[in-house]
Amino acid sequence: MLRSVFTKVIHDQWRILIAWAVFAGLWPALYIALYPSIGAVEEMQSLLDSMPPAIRQLFASSDLDISTPEGYLNIEMFSFVAPLLVMAYTVIAGGGATAGEEDKGTLDLLLANPIRRRRVLAEKSLAFLLGTAVIGLGMWLGLAAGALGAGVEVNLGLVGQAIVSALLLGLAFGSFAMAIGALTGQRWLAAGLALATSVAAFFLNGLGSLVDWLDAWRPVSPFYHYIANDPLVHGLDPVHAGVLVAGTLAWFAVAVVAFERRDLRR
Amino acid sequence: MAEPIIRADKLTKYYGRARGVIELDLEVQPGEVFGFLGPNGAGKTTTIRTLLDFIRPTAGRATIFGLDAHRDSLAIRRRIGYLPGELTLYESLSGRELLSYFAHLRGMLRDGRGEVLAERLDCDLGREIRTLSHGNRQKLGLIQALMADPELAILDEPTLGLDPLVQLEFFKIVDEIRAAGRTVFVSSHNLPEVERICDRVGIIREGRLLAVETVAGLKERALRRLELRFAEPVPVDLLAGVPGVRDLVVDGANLTCVVVGPVDPVLRTALRHEIEDVISHEPGLEEVFMAFYGGQAVGEAPDAA
């Protein structure tokens, strides 16, 4: 089992990862299963329509419309629950990638072995990629099971694409956290900073659609690329997805360069 | 002379403005056990972590096996074993899992040597590391450093927390490594330990290498405080004129003095009278420094900060 840095991460994480994936699946399963029993859809819709546009925009990618399962899922699941479920893993894992070992003091011991620093980062990143995929799979399975069980008709292919979009968003922030950790050697600073940045990015995208002068800045926010195209309705947009992938790779590169050059703490 | 295993050339490291080591010149020869002796904070760990490329020198450079410590670090690390000074292990692994993990990272075909060392050091590999005492963790640290039979073992304070019996077994292992022609670089702040296992000793204080001595030379110049209790009062000038005797005080049947170098002539002279008790105080580090730099007392060493 413990054959490489990659398998070591899996060895350390698999229990918590499975638990998290189950949790990430139960959440949408419950929501979608409840959908048919929201009897007073019209009443709820009129309530939503009466909400100030600022609130409406923050919590939905497309128009607030719970008369379709997609609209309901966008509000309840994809506006911020799904990103939060993914980022809770990617940001903490990424922030602790090397900084966790540096904080605890095991990094000297690890790097005394004949293994390059960049390889440690690469193997850990691959393990986190696998972990992120497992969480995405958990979400998809949960949602699919809930929809089938409750007889709600949703396009599970599009659901999958929306989940992939959320995973890419999570990876971008996870890789940002990894870069901060590689730069500073401080895992909680890294995770905290990434989380704070994601909150700011969330509001930038949400408010940007309301405030004229902010609108031009929305593409700066990863949330814009995650959901502005409404992947649950239109599918994953290659350009937006590409931006998230490029951001992830760029932060990974920053992490490698920073980590290779730095004096390690003890 | 063969190419040195470790060579530091004006190696200098500052952390911001704080002093690490200053213009350290050092050569460790193949097949020797080299002791790096100095008090805590003298720069021993800084030097070692530079050799392993965990930190990069501010100036100067180090080579190991003739390879550059930074540029060729990967090739170097294939051939060395390392015990960190403040050892932290993976708490959730068992000892056996830890050794297996590192054996794989090293590309070792088999890790039977780890089991043999564990047996000798009386270390239970089956237990989860979080349940181990400090001494048992230290044993694991030693085992992982030595299990690949490295050409060079760099051990930072190896006997920290080991009980005396295990220390003796560790000394034997070091003797075997020397006999096999491999090299050991060991840091310590414990003079008797260094005298026991090393061939040569580098003395470091406040970031500067003060001297490199053979252990024999160190003993020759070492100070030792001696207390003798005789059966009956002895002449005040009993040891006067014996080479190496200083600060002689005779009070009836009690005698105290400081001996520089071998104690043999002192004891031979003293044995003309019946001795009831002998107390010998091993010289501490500061006494060694005093022996080498008598005029330059503690705290007066040049400070670069």
Side-chain angles (χ1 to χ4, degrees):
Chain A
M1 186 68 197
L2 293 161
R3 297 182 161 270
S4 61
V5 174
F6 176 85
T7 51
K8 167 78 164 54
V9 175
I10 304 299
H11 176 273
D12 290 345
Q13 288 192 349
W14 72 270
R15 286 180 207 86
I16 187 93
L17 199 56
I18 297 291
W20 194 245
V22 167
F23 179 69
L26 280 177
W27 193 305
L30 283 176
Y31 267 106
I32 195 75
L34 283 174
Y35 180 70
S37 50
I38 302 179
V41 166
E42 275 174 34
E43 246 171 68
M44 183 111 171
Q45 183 65 48
S46 66
L47 179 74
L48 287 171
D49 288 343
S50 69
M51 283 164 81
I55 307 272
R56 297 180 46 180
Q57 279 297 334
L58 269 181
F59 295 103
S61 53
S62 50
D63 296 331
L64 273 184
D65 176 11
I66 63 165
S67 64
T68 67
E70 282 80 13
Y72 173 78
L73 276 178
N74 261 335
I75 298 166
E76 296 292 355
M77 182 71 197
F78 286 101
S79 58
F80 67 96
V81 171
L84 203 63
L85 287 171
V86 179
M87 283 196 302
Y89 170 73
T90 57
V91 162
I92 289 173
T98 59
E101 298 219 21
E102 207 168 342
D103 263 350
K104 288 183 208 147
T106 52
L107 192 60
D108 273 20
L109 203 62
L110 173 65
L111 287 177
N113 292 291
I115 180 165
R116 285 186 200 282
R117 294 184 188 185
R118 70 186 79 132
R119 172 145 189 180
V120 171
L121 278 170
E123 288 199 27
K124 291 207 173 198
S125 297
L126 283 179
F128 299 157
L129 194 64
L130 180 64
T132 309
V134 167
I135 291 170
L137 187 65
M139 286 165 81
W140 187 84
L141 286 175
L143 212 152
L148 289 175
V152 179
E153 262 190 49
V154 284
N155 183 331
L156 288 176
L158 286 172
V159 164
Q161 295 189 46
I163 288 175
V164 168
S165 193
L167 300 186
L168 294 180
L169 176 74
L171 288 173
F173 281 108
S175 134
F176 173 62
M178 180 185 273
I180 302 298
L183 271 164
T184 62
Q186 303 192 32
R187 70 182 312 189
W188 297 117
L189 173 76
L193 201 59
L195 218 55
T197 310
S198 72
V199 171
F202 173 79
F203 280 104
L204 172 60
N205 176 54
L207 296 174
S209 60
L210 298 169
V211 184
D212 281 346
W213 65 268
L214 260 182
D215 195 43
W217 292 94
R218 283 179 76 199
V220 174
S221 167
F223 274 86
Y224 173 78
H225 300 286
Y226 154 58
I227 205 159
N229 176 56
D230 199 351
L232 193 55
V233 176
H234 302 121
L236 199 62
D237 177 76
V239 174
H240 287 307
V243 169
L244 292 176
V245 170
T248 303
L249 293 176
W251 284 116
F252 177 76
V254 169
V256 167
V257 172
F259 194 49
E260 287 280 357
R261 297 171 72 100
R262 230 184 81 235
D263 281 356
L264 304 178
R265 291 188 302 126
R266 69 189 287 268
Chain B
M1 201 180 262
E3 176 156 33
I5 293 285
I6 300 176
R7 184 195 178 111
D9 187 12
K10 296 246 179 299
L11 191 70
T12 301
K13 179 65 186 177
Y14 281 91
Y15 302 99
R17 294 189 59 194
R19 181 263 313 151
V21 289
I22 303 158
E23 299 198 347
L24 190 93
D25 289 317
L26 192 69
E27 286 193 357
V28 176
Q29 302 303 330
E32 75 173 335
V33 178
F34 190 96
F36 203 34
L37 184 67
N40 292 328
K44 303 189 296 283
T45 297
T46 296
T47 307
I48 287 174
R49 296 186 80 236
T50 310
L51 294 177
L52 281 141
D53 194 38
F54 298 151
I55 53 179
R56 279 61 188 262
T58 312
R61 70 190 288 249
T63 58
I64 300 181
F65 312 121
L67 301 167
D68 186 84
H70 171 54
R71 211 185 49 234
D72 307 315
S73 175
L74 195 69
I76 290 170
R77 282 181 280 146
R78 282 201 186 95
R79 297 160 66 183
I80 67 179
Y82 167 61
L83 171 75
E86 279 167 30
L87 181 64
T88 314
L89 302 164
Y90 297 108
E91 296 283 315
S92 64
L93 300 186
S94 72
R96 188 164 285 113
E97 285 173 325
L98 179 89
L99 296 187
S100 160
Y101 180 38
F102 286 166
H104 278 111
L105 292 185
R106 294 198 155 270
M108 287 168 65
L109 295 177
R110 53 186 180 82
D111 52 3
R113 174 95 173 117
E115 301 275 347
V116 173
L117 285 168
E119 187 85 16
R120 288 185 65 177
L121 294 173
D122 191 20
C123 178
D124 183 354
L125 293 181
R127 283 174 59 185
E128 207 172 87
I129 289 169
R130 77 170 89 247
T131 68
L132 294 181
S133 69
H134 185 84
N136 278 311
R137 286 163 192 245
Q138 189 74 1
K139 290 179 198 171
L140 266 181
L142 282 170
I143 294 166
Q144 63 84 28
L146 299 174
M147 68 177 173
D149 287 333
E151 286 170 64
L152 167 66
I154 297 179
L155 310 175
D156 198 352
E157 303 274 358
T159 55
L160 213 67
L162 293 186
D163 66 54
L165 275 178
V166 179
Q167 272 190 37
L168 284 181
E169 191 61 34
F170 166 68
F171 293 163
K172 268 200 224 164
I173 292 171
V174 171
D175 288 341
E176 290 165 18
I177 294 174
R178 178 200 285 111
R182 293 193 295 273
T183 311
V184 181
F185 184 85
V186 48
S187 88
S188 174
H189 58 262
N190 182 333
L191 184 67
E193 166 183 311
V194 162
E195 285 183 341
R196 166 65 183 77
I197 59 174
C198 296
D199 304 304
R200 289 197 306 146
V201 178
I203 300 171
I204 184 172
R205 206 176 106 200
E206 296 183 7
R208 288 177 193 275
L209 192 69
L210 298 184
V212 176
E213 280 285 322
T214 61
V215 163
L218 205 62
K219 282 182 173 159
E220 232 161 63
R221 296 173 69 171
L223 298 179
R224 177 184 309 268
R225 209 154 63 80
L226 208 59
E227 284 182 48
L228 301 177
R229 197 166 306 128
F230 295 93
E232 48 196 45
V234 292
V236 186
D237 59 351
L238 175 66
L239 293 179
V242 176
V245 173
R246 282 195 211 159
D247 301 345
L248 179 64
V249 176
V250 179
D251 178 17
N254 293 324
L255 179 154
T256 63
C257 67
V258 171
V259 180
V260 183
V263 292
D264 183 63
V266 179
L267 290 179
R268 279 182 193 282
T269 310
L271 272 173
R272 287 184 210 139
H273 301 263
E274 187 186 342
I275 299 179
E276 282 190 337
D277 199 3
V278 179
I279 302 168
S280 166
H281 297 274
E282 283 285 356
L285 262 189
E286 288 306 325
E287 282 157 314
V288 175
F289 292 140
M290 289 294 282
F292 278 88
Y293 304 91
Q296 198 179 58
V298 182
E300 285 178 23
D303 195 342

